[in-house]
Amino acid sequence: MADRYIEVSLVKRDVTCTARLLDDRAPITCAAVWDSLPLAGDVYHAKYARNEIYALFPPFAETEPPLENPTITPIPGDLCYFTFAGAELGTKAYGYDREVRAGTTLVDLALFYERNNLLLNGDVGWVPGIVWGQVVDGLETMAEACNDLWRSGAAGESLSFRRA
């Protein structure tokens, strides 16, 4: 199979990076994401994992992918896939106001933009993610925009994923 690429963008900031799908390491997850593109949603900056931005989506795979190519220590440029039950994220401490409800399932598509990340949540413990893509171009510019998002706020900003 030929390499497949996607663009990951902070829409309002007009910043885009390009990532290669890791079909050889996470084929089921890559297929689920690829078949569902384009996707876009409100962006959030991580509170616990550190250097991460993400958007939440309703489940889009026919069945949720297994934990393939897992990590708890994502590196800069990793794209990760997480699945959460609404009850896991449904406290006010997370800052969600409408997407998260008990009894729902959410998919979290995340981009890690800098080092020293650890997927440990004080409420639920270790949170392994599926690494399904790696940024191959534009990470430095995206990291600058992510740091601005952290300092200036995420209100009104969207994170989008589309085929390159």
Side-chain angles (χ1 to χ4, degrees):
M1 174 185 286
D3 286 343
R4 297 188 291 180
Y5 296 88
I6 64 167
E7 292 180 340
V8 181
S9 302
L10 287 169
V11 177
K12 186 176 168 184
R13 286 171 170 78
D14 194 28
V15 175
T16 299
C17 60
T18 303
R20 181 178 61 83
L21 271 62
L22 301 177
D23 286 301
D24 58 330
R25 296 181 184 186
I28 297 168
T29 306
C30 288
V33 173
W34 184 260
D35 292 344
S36 299
L37 296 176
L39 293 166
D42 291 343
V43 68
Y44 296 92
H45 195 287
K47 197 171 186 179
Y48 297 105
R50 196 160 178 188
N51 301 299
E52 171 195 7
I53 61 169
Y54 61 95
L56 300 173
F57 302 97
F60 48 78
E62 193 171 305
T63 58
E64 283 306 309
L67 190 58
E68 53 185 1
N69 199 31
T71 189
I72 57 166
T73 55
I75 62 172
D78 277 352
L79 297 179
C80 289
Y81 180 110
F82 303 90
T83 303
F84 295 104
E88 290 177 287
L89 301 178
T91 67
K92 291 188 182 214
Y94 293 99
Y96 308 119
D97 58 356
R98 62 189 180 287
E99 296 96 339
V100 180
R101 303 261 186 268
T104 62
T105 299
L106 293 168
V107 172
D108 169 335
L109 295 183
L111 164 67
F112 290 84
Y113 63 89
E114 186 51 78
R115 297 175 43 140
N116 300 321
N117 304 295
L118 185 62
L119 301 178
L120 179 61
N121 178 298
D123 294 333
V124 298
W126 296 108
V127 183
I130 300 168
V131 182
W132 60 275
Q134 180 65 48
V135 174
V136 295
D137 185 49
L139 183 59
E140 185 175 321
T141 303
M142 180 60 79
E144 289 172 13
C146 292
N147 276 312
D148 179 64
L149 185 85
W150 173 249
R151 291 188 310 271
S152 301
E157 182 63 89
S158 296
L159 181 62
S160 78
F161 300 83
R162 66 181 180 270
R163 295 179 185 185

